[in-house]
Amino acid sequence: RAAGGSRSLRVSGTKAELAARLQEYAAKPAAAAASAAASGSAAASSSATQPHDSSAAAAAPPRRRTLQGGAAAPSSHGLAPLTASGGSREAQAAADAAPVSGGGGGGGVDAGGGAGGGNTGTGADMEVVVLGSGACNPSPTRSASSLALRLLNSYWLFDVGEGTQVQLQRCFVAPGRIDRIFVTHAHGDHCFGLPGLLCLIARGRDRDAPPMDIYGPAGLRAFLRVTLRFSGTKMLPRFVVHELHDIPNLHSSRPPPPPLAVAPGDVRSSDAGEQPGGLDLRPRPDGCWELLTTAFGESGSVTVRAAPVRHTVPTVGYVVEEASKRGRLKPELVLPLLQRNKQALADEWGVRDPRSVLKKVAALGAEEELVLPDGAVIRGSDAVGGTRRGRKIAVLGDCCDASPCSGIAAGCDLLVHEATNAYLPQYGDSGGLARLQRETAAHGHSTPQMAGAVARRFGARALLLTHFSQRYPPDAVGMMRAIAAAAAAEAELPPEQVVAARDTLVLPIWQPDRTKAMRPASPP
């Protein structure tokens, strides 16, 4: 610290990468000092009549050096992706091999949930973190499907493909803060990472914490029970599995899959592992599932619903909807009145700072009023704006037709939709878009144009494309821009509102009445 006190140091990256670079950085002054000492000794021995002045070297100002993590390639939508990884392959290999500590507070590279863990730095109270954006199987450039939704200090995961444990450590997501997991369907690239993830969560989750809630298609309980029993796993958090029953198989060209084993939800209570209370959820008359309503921030609550989508196995999409909120205070109308009464407020109300009255004004109902010392009346209907609608995020599973979700996803602020295959003639594709779309739909998947059409029909304000074939590496900037542009044209959305996902991307979900762009902040 003393040696580098006058030098600039800017760093970003995972703990393992930073440790290696900081050691190298700290070693440079010692190496320089050793070199200077060696030079001085040589000079002294060669000329005893001319003494070496080491004070000049000591007084020389140290060289200023800035350390910066390797810059990620720009994303296809022009937004700078928020990443927690370094730039070089060697640095990334070291980061992926870094051990996970059980403590809290160190961001997403630890398994705990201490203060500061999971802070991705956008400043929003709701964020989407892309853990894996690839289809079929994980690769060095795209991990298998997984997405995290941060609600204040709680994380909800949607799908858990292979490699999700590593991605959590790269994305500053503290595993101990994962409270709910939602599985869209039973294909392996969406659920094979779940058993291992539970073990990682157990390392940092408080034993006294409420059980985690896991939602997914019927058969999920049996999958977890067999996997965990076969592996003899003992390190598990407490969790409850809720199954969605009667999900229709909407893909007419494929025979329905064999029925999955259905395990009852009544299990014995224990200190770890599955707990009693698992629900067997049935669809409402409109074909949708009502999953949960829980408290969240100033809005009071968040509700999660599900609806089927068309894929080669029974699949659902999930919609997270925030309740409506009170209107915002209009300080430009209230503050002049309070400032005018500043002295009277201090004398009669004992209020030294007029701004402290703003909370009382913000709490006024539409028909309530506050009379100030000079007789001025502040009415709630004038000082506070109208009711604001809450945010809505739709996260769809693999699909070639999402129309059954239109009722619950209409008007969503962000639609997360797959775009497995793309027609890019400028990169050598031939045969035409119509043919590619037929072939893609036959496998239960979508193209960027199909995803854009869904966004247009739903009235989505923004579109996040994900689940890309491994043929489309995220660093192929021109290719990803072309994919995003095709979707934006079909969705009739501004280009900046259509995002082609890459692993570690973080998008803030701002309040609908804010004018902030969907742009990630700089890495913390």
Side-chain angles (χ1 to χ4, degrees):
R1 182 181 180 89
S6 60
R7 290 182 293 167
S8 172
L9 178 63
R10 293 178 58 206
V11 294
S12 64
T14 60
K15 280 185 174 179
E17 180 188 356
L18 294 183
R21 287 163 55 204
L22 286 172
Q23 288 177 359
E24 176 187 359
Y25 183 70
K28 288 186 178 294
S35 176
S39 299
S41 176
S45 61
S46 62
S47 178
T49 60
Q50 298 186 15
H52 175 66
D53 186 3
S54 60
S55 62
R63 179 184 178 187
R64 298 180 62 84
R65 180 166 176 251
T66 298
L67 294 183
Q68 186 78 22
S75 55
S76 62
H77 48 83
L79 305 185
L82 178 61
T83 63
S85 57
S88 69
R89 293 184 179 181
E90 294 78 4
Q92 190 56 60
D96 289 346
V100 182
S101 81
V109 292
D110 58 44
N119 178 18
T120 47
T122 68
D125 62 351
M126 186 180 292
E127 295 173 338
V128 165
V129 185
V130 179
L131 301 175
S133 58
C136 190
N137 57 273
S139 77
T141 58
R142 290 195 189 275
S143 190
S145 293
S146 188
L147 180 142
L149 174 65
R150 183 178 68 80
L151 304 173
L152 293 176
N153 293 321
S154 176
Y155 281 97
W156 297 2
L157 260 58
F158 294 83
D159 286 333
V160 189
E162 301 163 84
T164 298
Q165 295 183 61
V166 173
Q167 296 302 99
L168 290 172
Q169 298 173 60
R170 296 182 61 201
C171 296
F172 288 89
V173 175
R177 289 190 176 182
I178 298 172
D179 295 314
R180 290 183 171 89
I181 298 174
F182 302 86
V183 177
T184 60
H185 62 292
H187 279 160
D189 59 332
H190 296 257
C191 67
F192 278 173
L194 182 54
L197 175 62
L198 291 176
C199 301
L200 178 65
I201 292 174
R203 296 180 59 183
R205 190 172 179 86
D206 192 340
R207 289 275 182 173
D208 298 327
M212 296 171 50
D213 291 301
I214 303 175
Y215 295 83
L220 183 59
R221 282 195 203 106
F223 166 70
L224 284 175
R225 289 176 184 177
V226 170
T227 305
L228 297 175
R229 187 180 302 122
F230 174 75
S231 61
T233 302
K234 301 299 183 184
M235 184 181 292
L236 290 170
R238 296 193 300 157
F239 63 89
V240 177
V241 181
H242 310 288
E243 292 188 337
L244 281 65
H245 288 255
D246 303 329
I247 303 175
N249 183 45
L250 302 177
H251 205 284
S252 58
S253 65
R254 294 268 184 118
L260 298 173
V262 176
D266 53 340
V267 295
R268 292 182 301 173
S269 180
S270 61
D271 294 336
E274 187 178 359
Q275 303 295 305
L279 302 175
D280 292 333
L281 302 169
R282 308 285 173 179
R284 303 178 312 197
D286 63 357
C288 300
W289 290 261
E290 192 89 13
L291 303 187
L292 66 100
T293 298
T294 186
F296 171 65
E298 63 173 283
S299 67
S301 65
V302 167
T303 298
V304 182
R305 301 179 179 90
V309 294
R310 184 182 177 188
H311 189 44
T312 53
V313 297
T315 306
V316 297
Y318 295 101
V319 175
V320 180
E321 184 171 8
E322 182 185 22
S324 298
K325 301 174 288 297
R326 285 175 50 85
R328 296 188 187 277
L329 179 68
K330 302 176 182 177
E332 69 278 5
L333 301 180
V334 179
L335 275 176
L337 297 177
L338 298 179
Q339 291 293 343
R340 192 175 72 194
N341 285 265
K342 181 175 181 179
Q343 190 60 46
L345 288 172
D347 296 340
E348 300 180 25
W349 292 10
V351 176
R352 301 179 61 182
D353 186 353
R355 290 173 297 181
S356 63
V357 183
L358 290 176
K359 282 189 176 181
K360 184 178 293 187
V361 176
L364 291 175
E367 304 300 324
E368 295 178 329
E369 58 185 31
L370 179 68
V371 181
L372 298 178
D374 68 350
V377 178
I378 300 176
R379 295 180 178 83
S381 56
D382 298 330
V384 180
T387 301
R388 298 173 291 151
R389 73 171 181 87
R391 290 160 286 188
K392 183 187 288 190
I393 300 97
V395 183
L396 307 186
D398 292 3
C399 64
C400 57
D401 180 9
S403 55
C405 282
S406 59
I408 62 174
C412 57
D413 296 279
L414 177 65
L415 172 65
V416 183
H417 197 291
E418 68 131 284
T420 305
N421 295 321
Y423 182 68
L424 302 171
Q426 64 270 45
Y427 290 95
D429 289 350
S430 60
L433 174 61
R435 176 183 174 183
L436 175 71
Q437 293 195 151
R438 287 194 302 270
E439 295 174 350
T440 301
H443 291 88
H445 293 294
S446 295
T447 65
Q449 288 86 347
M450 295 165 69
V454 172
R456 186 184 68 252
R457 292 196 302 270
F458 286 7
R461 295 176 60 239
L463 173 62
L464 175 62
L465 302 172
T466 187
H467 197 268
F468 295 107
S469 166
Q470 301 295 350
R471 293 191 298 271
Y472 312 114
D475 292 334
V477 178
M479 180 180 293
M480 300 313 300
R481 282 195 181 133
I483 288 173
E490 192 67 35
E492 299 178 0
L493 285 171
E496 63 272 14
Q497 292 300 104
V498 177
V499 180
R502 59 183 298 137
D503 293 3
T504 73
L505 181 75
V506 178
L507 291 179
I509 311 298
W510 303 109
Q511 301 284 354
D513 61 333
R514 295 294 196 188
T515 58
K516 292 185 177 182
M518 189 172 57
R519 183 180 180 88
S522 299

